[in-house]
Amino acid sequence: MAAPRNIVILTGAGISAESGIDTFRAEGGLWEQHRIEDVATPEGFERDPDLVLNFYDMRRAALATVAPNPAHEALARLDAEFDGELLIVTQNVDDLHERAGARRVLHMHGELKSALCRICERRTPFEGTMRQRPACPMCESRSLRPDVVWFGEMPYEMDRIYAALRAADLFVSIGTSGAVYPAAGFVRDAREMGAHTLELNLERSEGSHWFHESRQGRAGELVPAWVEEILR
Ligand code: OAD
């Protein structure tokens, strides 16, 4: 294809796997260790808020023990050096894209280091733990919840994402199983609007056949090589 001028990248848990963060659907992954209905639904939170706050408190604390890997670093380099349009849409709630230096990042499933107030509905940066029920810095009610999109809730900034997909001439999906919508449908949306589509994943994902091209391997190797191709 001609040199791309407008790139949308979708990342998933696989890009952070080599940093030591568990993916969701691997053998022994997060969804084998915990039930989705318990820790990733509004109903689970109503039933047992302590269990849910604890789950995200632990995942937030674990961020201090991990670091960006060469895949995050390569995307940060692309962000700094690519002079066309770029949007990195991540399903990940970790902060490894930002810690690698990427700026054009959108967290469609929220962030561990953000809190959502159930009373005033504002989002504020958050460090530490929620199980002691800290007060919302905006309205002071003790109603903070993790700012993470749960099953049955709408992901963030879908209008902005679809606008970017419509304008993209290249869509690249990295380290995601293609099991969760709407993200799993982005490849079809981008393709219908004329983008070239590329998958970089350890194995063929559920939606692999939708991509023009699928490369299998570790993100830490595939992503730097692909970024090199784009910036050459
Ligand atoms: P999954 O755990 O479903 O998929 C991770 C994908 O990354 C798999 O296809 C793996 O083969 C691949 N993978 C693993 N290690 C890799 C590596 N080193 N290099 C490249 N690829 C690798 O995670 P997601 O697709 O991100 O949502 O899951 C999507 C959403 O489901 C998450 O955002 C989360 C979850 O439920 C919410 O919590 C709302």
Side-chain angles (χ1 to χ4, degrees):
M1 69 172 290
R5 297 306 306 149
N6 194 322
I7 306 176
V8 175
I9 297 170
L10 172 70
T11 68
I15 198 168
S16 296
E18 288 159 68
S19 293
I21 299 181
D22 284 343
T23 64
F24 294 95
R25 294 176 179 77
E27 226 173 277
L30 275 178
W31 292 156
E32 273 192 6
Q33 301 167 41
H34 307 269
R35 282 161 29 111
I36 288 180
E37 13 343 347
D38 288 342
V39 298
T41 62
E43 297 76 21
F45 186 63
E46 290 303 325
R47 248 191 333 265
D48 193 345
D50 284 326
L51 176 87
V52 176
L53 294 178
N54 228 350
F55 175 69
Y56 293 95
D57 282 351
M58 278 171 6
R59 290 178 64 197
R60 190 178 308 106
L63 291 183
T65 67
V66 298
N69 68 56
H72 299 104
E73 282 156 11
L75 292 189
R77 178 180 165 223
L78 182 69
D79 186 9
E81 297 181 21
F82 180 66
D83 61 4
E85 291 293 319
L86 173 75
L87 182 63
I88 301 169
V89 179
T90 187
Q91 299 168 87
N92 298 344
V93 293
D94 66 51
D95 59 352
L96 295 180
H97 283 305
E98 287 85 352
R99 278 161 61 190
R103 292 287 166 265
R104 291 180 270 182
V105 181
L106 186 165
H107 284 267
M108 65 177 290
H109 289 166
E111 292 180 71
L112 286 169
K113 289 193 176 170
S114 177
L116 174 63
C117 178
R118 299 168 77 216
I119 300 294
C120 73
E121 298 185 352
R122 278 178 285 199
R123 309 171 70 190
T124 44
F126 185 83
E127 302 269 355
T129 56
M130 285 190 191
R131 37 180 190 271
Q132 297 83 2
R133 310 293 197 279
C136 168
M138 308 304 283
C139 74
E140 294 181 3
S141 64
R142 297 193 175 272
S143 298
L144 295 182
R145 58 160 270 187
D147 189 10
V148 168
V149 175
W150 289 328
F151 286 89
E153 297 179 328
M154 183 57 84
Y156 286 117
E157 300 203 58
M158 292 307 297
D159 289 348
R160 193 174 147 213
I161 294 171
Y162 284 123
L165 290 171
R166 277 195 294 276
D169 52 18
L170 176 60
F171 172 76
V172 186
S173 171
I174 303 171
T176 177
S177 62
V180 174
Y181 284 82
F186 290 170
V187 57
R188 267 172 284 174
D189 298 319
R191 195 176 170 144
E192 268 168 29
M193 299 308 294
H196 185 75
T197 53
L198 167 67
E199 170 174 77
L200 307 175
N201 207 51
L202 194 59
E203 61 206 346
R204 292 185 78 87
S205 71
E206 289 184 26
S208 253
H209 54 282
W210 291 105
F211 289 85
H212 290 103
E213 192 187 344
S214 178
R215 300 180 191 172
Q216 277 85 57
R218 291 153 58 97
E221 287 156 17
L222 292 183
V223 179
W226 170 71
V227 167
E228 196 62 48
E229 284 170 31
I230 296 292
L231 294 177
R232 206 167 26 219

